[in-house]
Amino acid sequence: DAKTTQPNSMESNEEEPVHLPCNHSTISGTDYIHWYRQLPSQGPEYVIHGLTSNVNNRMASLAIAEDRKSSTLILHRATLRDAAVYYCIFGGGGSNYKLTFGKGTLLTVNP
Amino acid sequence: DAGVIQSPRHEVTEMGQEVTLRCKPISGHNSLFWYRQTMMRGLELLIYFNNNVPIDDSGMPEDRFSAKMPNASFSTLKIQPSEPRDSAVYFCASRPTGGTGNTIYFGEGSWLTVV
């Protein structure tokens, strides 16, 4: 199974940036890095994904290390609605359809 | 756009009863996944279909569990007979055809309680 390492929990203040780290040292060359989040009582929600280059979308930015063994999800201005469990996953490239979820990081946003 | 639709949202049943969970994937998606989530084990992949064909069912816990996908717009996950340890949230997810990186989209889940 694809293993990632994330902090169990992180805390942020509203309207401040949040940097959520993830280590994925066993990633292969064809594996994408995915981030999902799960709000209370909801299904996991796609946030962003990337392969090698940094990525931006309306929800967040993804910074990928040059060696691809780590990445950081950046929420530029945290809101109370961003409080969730954030999962970092790698896989999904080519025939590797499996996305194996770990425990994720529980993000708390303080008003 | 309609997302992945699951039913029922909540089900409470007695041990030994049959449970059927239903899923309608996003139109045009050709891959479908069933996941189970518990506090102890987190999110586990149960089974994966591609073009309505089961490709990997290695995550199905035992013979009491079965899944079908009779057409591209419908799938079921059945538990017969159900046991209290099957209590969990069951998520269905689908993946778009030709999507980069195999991103998947989840439904809201079916919350199952077996008493």
Side-chain angles (χ1 to χ4, degrees):
Chain A
D1 285 351
K3 296 290 187 186
T4 59
T5 303
Q6 298 179 255
N8 289 332
S9 62
M10 290 185 66
E11 202 166 323
S12 174
N13 295 320
E14 202 174 6
E15 300 196 0
E16 290 184 355
V18 181
H19 291 232
L20 297 164
C22 180
N23 288 319
H24 30 78
S25 58
T26 62
I27 193 170
S28 74
T30 58
D31 286 332
Y32 283 78
I33 300 155
H34 299 254
W35 284 82
Y36 286 76
R37 71 180 185 181
Q38 188 171 20
L39 280 66
S41 302
Q42 294 191 25
E45 173 188 30
Y46 166 77
V47 177
I48 200 167
H49 77 286
L51 187 60
T52 55
S53 302
N54 294 345
V55 184
N56 300 296
N57 66 21
R58 64 175 180 82
M59 292 181 70
S61 294
L62 176 60
I64 301 172
E66 195 169 334
D67 63 5
R68 300 205 334 119
K69 294 186 184 300
S70 66
S71 63
T72 302
L73 179 71
I74 303 165
L75 306 179
H76 296 284
R77 290 183 65 192
T79 69
L80 296 178
R81 294 178 62 183
D82 290 323
V85 177
Y86 286 79
Y87 298 98
C88 165
I89 308 141
F90 67 86
S95 61
N96 181 13
Y97 55 87
K98 283 189 178 181
L99 293 181
T100 303
F101 288 75
K103 298 292 187 184
T105 296
L106 174 62
L107 175 66
T108 301
V109 180
N110 300 314
Chain B
D1 286 344
V4 175
I5 299 172
Q6 293 187 244
S7 65
R9 289 296 313 278
H10 298 272
E11 172 112 359
V12 180
T13 190
E14 291 185 346
M15 182 174 62
Q17 297 297 306
E18 177 179 292
V19 173
T20 300
L21 307 177
R22 298 172 178 81
C23 175
K24 177 179 170 55
I26 295 172
S27 178
H29 287 195
N30 70 334
S31 296
L32 184 139
F33 305 79
W34 282 100
Y35 282 83
R36 177 174 69 176
Q37 186 173 37
T38 61
M39 288 293 293
M40 290 295 293
R41 301 175 68 89
L43 266 166
E44 304 172 278
L45 176 64
L46 299 178
I47 189 168
Y48 157 63
F49 290 87
N50 191 50
N51 292 325
N52 312 337
V53 176
I55 302 300
D56 183 352
D57 65 355
S58 60
M60 295 286 264
E62 48 197 275
D63 292 345
R64 297 185 297 107
F65 285 69
S66 62
K68 294 182 179 180
M69 191 165 186
N71 58 62
S73 59
F74 184 66
S75 177
T76 60
L77 178 67
K78 186 173 294 187
I79 308 172
Q80 167 63 21
S82 59
E83 297 182 3
R85 60 191 169 125
D86 302 329
S87 298
V89 186
Y90 291 82
F91 289 104
C92 177
S94 67
R95 184 180 71 197
T97 305
T100 62
N102 292 0
T103 299
I104 59 176
Y105 297 87
F106 285 81
E108 294 293 307
S110 291
W111 298 67
L112 174 65
T113 302
V114 183
V115 298

